[in-house]
Amino acid sequence: MGLERHKSSVSRIASAIRQFYERREPFRINHGSTNSTRPIRRKNEVDISDLRNVLRVDPETRTALVEPNVPMDRLVEATMKYGLVPPVVMEFPGITAGGGFAGTAGESSSFRYGFFDRTINYVEMVMADGTVMKVSESENQDLCRGAAGAVGTLGVTTLMELQLVEAKKFVKATYLPQRSVRESITNVHAETLNESNDYVDGILYGPDHGVVVAGEMTNDMPDTAKVQTFSRAWDPWYYLHVKDKTRTGNSPVVDYIPLAEYLFRYDRGGFWVGRAAFHYFNFPFNRATRWFLDDFLHTRMLYRALHSSGESHRFVVQDLAVPYSNAETFIDYTSEKLGIWPLWLCPLKQSPKPTFHPHSTVPSPGFTEDQMLNIGVWGFGPKDPEQSITANRDLEHRLRELGGMKWFYAHTYYGEDEFWNMYDREWYDRLRAKYNATTLPSVYDKIKIDVEADRKERAESWSRKIRGVRPLGGLFGIRNAIKSGEYHIHRNSEWKWKG
């Protein structure tokens, strides 16, 4: 029944896309909610929002047949009923499987498996001319690798078969205190070489306080240990909990965390971005206020509110990958220029080139050459819009100088020539021509910020001016987040171990 409904939906989508193709008109995909911080445009859309089901989980082959709008919490809920879990699960419950394929999606298991798309066996796509195709490493490999990370500019993802691995009840999370940036970078890399680790990431709270987190799936927990959770309103926020555990002393500290709780440990507070909301509203930030406002402090609500508030232009939300050898230099730069702490450290296995995923050919002596280090820089930038643009442009320039690349989900200010000097335009244009995708917006068209258009809107739009008055913009953002249904999605969300 599910597959028949799916085929009917794909037929409708293919027909709509074919009509755009025949009129030689570009179109965009409406898949529902988004975690992007780019401005949202609503013109010439193809609606694929009904493709939101896990159609099959096969314990024998350890695979799941998944439609693109399945969010991570629903995916994990479906697979864990069979004692299985995807190898790479994005840290926010609302990120979708399709978004993980079309964008750049890595998590703390990506040092081993690579980006999310590298754990997909095959993808069903509707091409720009309405043709339905199957792509994989053995069938249309060039399209499979090209579409991963190309933000939907080569075709529309309608189905994928995901690999699964054995799930265990807990993640034994070992917090390793670090007392310098260099030590944190070195030891994040060292933990990726430990074969017992299933997950590795790190948090830099400041220049002299970092934590490397090594996670190992296990079914066993000592009788003396307590289960640590992070999803309930009175639970601690994960990053604050780890900070408190490692504030003093240099000895490792261990938590036993239920697997799904670990996978979505950063949801409450959106890592630490949620703390900025308290700063914005000049509201006390403590355990009681976090408990009281908990429904509004999960990532689904936070991202929708940030979009609608008008504050996204001044909020730096950037994921940036650099070679290990240049990571300390880059962090020194962000500290001096932006003063944003904490920072997230996530080791990532690079994808085969050419690719739109972050990649580098800059050598990293003493480090694993096929890895880069993702640095998450999230916090308030300059309030003045022009200064904010300058800060983002400087960040892009410095990143490039150090052999790094950024994720496309955030504000992107590269000029067109500058952008294509970083990525393989000939390869991409050949794919667009071969698969009849030239009527679709290009990657650059889709991600660029039109600075002049934004300046004009700021000058002429009363809505922008009103939202620029604190706290009206924030209240407007909260209202829209509730109205959009993100509030109710969170209220009805629940993930539990089903083993």
Side-chain angles (χ1 to χ4, degrees):
M1 188 70 177
L3 280 173
E4 289 303 313
R5 180 206 54 77
H6 172 81
K7 291 177 182 178
S8 176
S9 294
V10 171
S11 178
R12 170 187 59 79
I13 291 164
S15 177
I17 290 174
R18 192 174 302 113
Q19 292 178 44
F20 281 117
Y21 180 77
E22 290 171 352
R23 296 195 298 266
R24 310 303 291 177
E25 292 180 8
F27 64 88
R28 294 180 185 273
I29 305 162
N30 175 15
H31 53 77
S33 62
T34 177
N35 282 315
S36 169
T37 58
R38 298 190 309 270
I40 299 174
R41 304 173 179 89
R42 300 294 189 199
K43 187 179 180 182
N44 282 12
E45 286 188 342
V46 172
D47 186 358
I48 67 166
S49 58
D50 62 333
L51 298 181
R52 55 179 183 271
N53 298 289
V54 177
L55 300 181
R56 183 179 68 232
V57 178
D58 188 334
E60 292 187 8
T61 61
R62 291 190 174 184
T63 60
L65 202 58
V66 179
E67 292 180 320
N69 294 310
V70 173
M72 289 296 104
D73 52 358
R74 296 283 76 85
L75 175 60
V76 169
E77 182 181 51
T79 63
M80 287 181 69
K81 292 176 182 178
Y82 298 89
L84 299 169
V85 69
V88 177
V89 176
M90 284 75 83
E91 64 278 353
F92 295 165
I95 297 178
T96 62
F101 174 72
T104 291
E107 230 286 337
S108 58
S109 58
S110 291
F111 75 94
R112 174 171 295 172
Y113 296 102
F115 294 107
F116 178 75
D117 62 274
R118 302 303 296 169
T119 68
I120 298 174
N121 287 333
Y122 71 81
V123 176
E124 176 190 80
M125 295 178 65
V126 179
M127 309 313 297
D129 60 0
T131 303
V132 180
M133 294 186 65
K134 182 178 178 181
V135 303
S136 68
E137 281 293 303
S138 59
E139 189 175 358
N140 303 305
Q141 184 194 71
D142 57 348
L143 179 60
C144 182
R145 293 186 178 183
V151 291
T153 62
L154 290 170
V156 181
T157 303
T158 54
L159 187 69
M160 61 188 71
E161 184 181 85
L162 296 176
Q163 301 165 16
L164 302 174
V165 297
E166 180 186 0
K168 297 185 180 180
K169 291 185 178 180
F170 305 104
V171 171
K172 176 186 176 184
T174 302
Y175 309 132
L176 304 164
Q178 314 294 314
R179 298 307 167 197
S180 72
V181 171
R182 179 174 299 180
E183 186 180 64
S184 300
I185 294 166
T186 300
N187 288 324
V188 160
H189 176 259
E191 289 302 320
T192 68
L193 305 179
N194 184 341
E195 293 185 359
S196 67
N197 287 333
D198 298 296
Y199 307 99
V200 176
D201 70 333
I203 305 172
L204 272 174
Y205 296 97
D208 56 1
H209 183 191
V211 179
V212 174
V213 183
E216 179 185 354
M217 282 198 288
T218 180
N219 287 320
D220 302 316
M221 186 180 74
D223 294 337
T224 55
K226 294 182 179 179
V227 174
Q228 179 62 57
T229 60
F230 300 101
S231 63
R232 297 174 299 187
W234 198 250
D235 286 339
W237 283 11
Y238 180 75
Y239 91 96
L240 292 173
H241 171 79
V242 175
K243 184 178 183 179
D244 289 342
K245 288 270 190 176
T246 59
R247 193 186 303 271
T248 59
N250 294 311
S251 299
V253 180
V254 175
D255 272 335
Y256 286 85
I257 307 169
L259 176 57
E261 294 269 346
Y262 171 85
L263 295 174
F264 304 124
R265 62 203 181 281
Y266 290 116
D267 177 48
R268 291 175 62 244
F271 283 86
W272 36 86
V273 170
R275 183 165 190 167
F278 290 82
H279 173 76
Y280 174 86
F281 286 108
N282 196 26
F283 199 75
F285 182 76
N286 55 52
R287 192 176 182 188
T289 56
R290 292 194 294 274
W291 166 81
F292 180 70
L293 296 171
D294 184 67
D295 287 336
F296 300 94
L297 295 169
H298 293 249
T299 49
R300 281 185 169 104
M301 285 286 287
L302 285 170
Y303 272 88
R304 178 67 67 174
L306 180 62
H307 266 306
S308 301
S309 69
E311 288 294 309
S312 64
H313 78 275
R314 65 163 295 208
F315 206 85
V316 177
V317 183
Q318 300 274 4
D319 276 276
L320 314 121
V322 294
Y324 276 100
S325 57
N326 290 336
E328 183 179 9
T329 301
F330 185 72
I331 290 170
D332 289 344
Y333 167 83
T334 62
S335 174
E336 178 185 352
K337 296 294 185 181
L338 298 172
I340 293 175
W341 301 96
L343 302 173
W344 190 46
L345 306 180
C346 185
L348 302 166
K349 184 178 181 180
Q350 295 190 59
S351 293
K353 302 176 186 65
T355 179
F356 280 112
H357 291 320
H359 58 277
S360 181
T361 57
V362 175
S364 280
F367 296 98
T368 306
E369 289 298 329
D370 70 345
Q371 282 190 23
M372 297 180 77
L373 185 63
N374 171 207
I375 300 171
V377 182
W378 313 309
F380 276 118
K383 183 175 182 180
D384 178 77
E386 294 300 322
Q387 292 180 7
S388 179
I389 292 170
T390 299
N392 277 281
R393 288 296 287 135
D394 289 347
L395 186 68
E396 290 173 345
H397 287 147
R398 189 63 177 134
L399 176 68
R400 189 60 187 149
E401 289 173 353
L402 295 173
M405 290 184 175
K406 61 189 282 185
W407 273 238
F408 290 158
Y409 74 82
H411 285 76
T412 299
Y413 295 92
Y414 296 116
E416 187 168 8
D417 290 342
E418 180 185 11
F419 179 82
W420 288 116
N421 281 333
M422 297 165 56
Y423 298 95
D424 191 335
R425 187 170 194 168
E426 290 185 7
W427 159 74
Y428 179 60
D429 285 346
R430 283 197 304 270
L431 284 176
R432 282 166 63 80
K434 179 179 179 180
Y435 293 103
N436 297 317
T438 54
T439 57
L440 301 181
S442 72
V443 170
Y444 181 75
D445 291 335
K446 195 163 184 180
I447 70 169
K448 69 179 180 180
I449 297 293
D450 189 331
V451 174
E452 292 304 320
D454 188 65
R455 284 176 179 144
K456 183 177 180 181
E457 184 181 343
R458 287 202 312 268
E460 298 178 358
S461 170
W462 281 103
S463 174
R464 284 281 294 267
K465 291 176 181 178
I466 291 170
R467 282 184 290 156
V469 178
R470 186 181 296 192
L472 297 180
L475 294 172
F476 182 79
I478 293 172
R479 172 185 173 274
N480 275 13
I482 295 173
K483 192 175 179 181
S484 73
E486 301 294 347
Y487 173 79
H488 300 289
I489 290 173
H490 158 61
R491 293 289 288 175
N492 294 326
S493 291
E494 182 179 11
W495 49 85
K496 291 182 179 179
W497 166 252
K498 303 288 186 180

